[in-house]
Amino acid sequence: MRIIVATNNKGKAKEFKEVLSDISVEVLTLKDIGMVSDPEENGETFAENARIKAMDVYEKLKAAGEEKDTIVMADDSGLCIDFLGGEPGVKSARFMGHSTPYNEKNRAILDLLKGARDGDRGASFVCHVCTVLPDGRVIDAESEMRGSIAEEAKGGEGFGYDPIFYVPEYGKTGGELTPEEKNAVSHRGKVLRKVREFLCREMNL
Ligand code: ITT
């Protein structure tokens, strides 16, 4: 059995490998297997977009007769900011354009929240993981990490919006956390542990 993580995001791929490191199954990314998959994410929810990404890879494997002994997992995630009515949410990767560097995106968000006081800076990272089993069955799971938007960007760890997301458990931003600290409380860490538990029970991994 192998797990293929349907992502082109290096930061996500690293966290999948870390959190799933203790199961006896190889965890591979699209890059590892030389597959290109970048379907249009035109869903309105994290769940819909995660399914679009997972099914694109599953269908490609199936067309090649390679879906056996393979579990496909895709992650759709994003930052939902209370003060912005939940934005950028499902559009987090596309906010200000896909290729705009994150230091610019983070600065723009800090500017948008300039008038927001402490109690108005609440935010959540949400992660939906869609898992497709070799027989085509689909399992959905979602978790979130609650925190707030920091006053300034800090730290060079993690990726994306981590430097502006204040994690109350540690009193630091996501950008200041070690990978172990982040995975212990993060949206992705939590949802992957749920899926891991399911796979160990149902698939005897
Ligand atoms: P794939 O679709 O190939 O997986 P992507 O980066 O386009 O990669 P999404 O569409 O799910 O992924 O966009 C999620 C965005 O939300 C991501 O690009 C980050 O900017 C942000 N994000 C999600 N999880 C995050 C985390 O743990 N830390 C920081 N930013 C995160």
Side-chain angles (χ1 to χ4, degrees):
M1 193 65 81
R2 61 180 179 163
I3 291 175
I4 294 177
V5 187
T7 183
N8 297 302
N9 179 317
K10 281 189 208 150
K12 283 187 191 179
K14 178 171 172 283
E15 292 179 6
F16 266 76
K17 288 191 176 184
E18 287 163 358
V19 178
L20 300 176
S21 63
D22 59 352
I23 53 176
S24 56
V25 172
E26 211 180 359
V27 180
L28 301 162
T29 61
L30 295 178
K31 193 160 172 256
D32 292 332
I33 62 164
M35 182 188 281
V36 176
S37 169
D38 196 9
E40 193 189 346
E41 296 177 33
N42 53 13
E44 283 175 15
T45 61
F46 293 112
E48 285 170 11
N49 283 338
R51 185 173 291 222
I52 288 169
K53 291 186 262 192
M55 288 312 293
D56 188 67
V57 171
Y58 179 76
E59 295 297 349
K60 285 190 165 94
L61 289 168
K62 199 163 179 208
E66 290 171 6
E67 84 282 14
K68 290 169 208 73
D69 297 329
T70 301
I71 294 165
V72 179
M73 292 169 82
D75 159 323
D76 199 65
S77 47
L79 178 61
C80 303
I81 302 175
D82 301 353
F83 193 72
L84 304 179
E87 296 280 309
V90 288
K91 292 179 244 123
S92 291
R94 284 162 278 167
F95 175 68
M96 292 174 72
H98 228 289
S99 51
T100 301
Y102 270 89
N103 58 354
E104 284 180 36
K105 296 194 194 200
N106 286 337
R107 207 176 313 125
I109 288 185
L110 293 178
D111 282 347
L112 286 170
L113 266 76
K114 253 190 185 135
R117 284 162 309 173
D118 271 4
D120 297 329
R121 301 181 76 89
S124 301
F125 264 126
V126 178
C127 181
H128 192 103
V129 169
C130 177
T131 304
V132 188
L133 303 181
D135 62 6
R137 268 183 300 156
V138 173
I139 288 108
D140 283 294
E142 191 167 300
S143 291
E144 69 167 43
M145 167 166 64
R146 189 73 192 153
S148 59
I149 301 302
E151 294 288 343
E152 55 177 330
K154 277 191 192 162
E157 294 290 330
F159 66 97
Y161 298 106
D162 278 330
I164 59 163
F165 189 85
Y166 178 83
V167 185
E169 285 91 332
Y170 297 106
K172 294 182 197 171
T173 71
E176 297 176 294
L177 301 181
T178 64
E180 293 74 21
E181 286 173 332
K182 180 177 172 188
N183 291 335
V185 298
S186 78
H187 47 318
R188 187 165 296 103
K190 284 190 243 177
V191 70
L192 286 178
R193 282 189 288 277
K194 279 199 262 188
V195 179
R196 181 180 64 184
E197 198 180 301
F198 172 88
L199 293 175
C200 289
R201 198 176 57 237
E202 299 292 321
M203 308 287 291
N204 296 318
L205 297 191

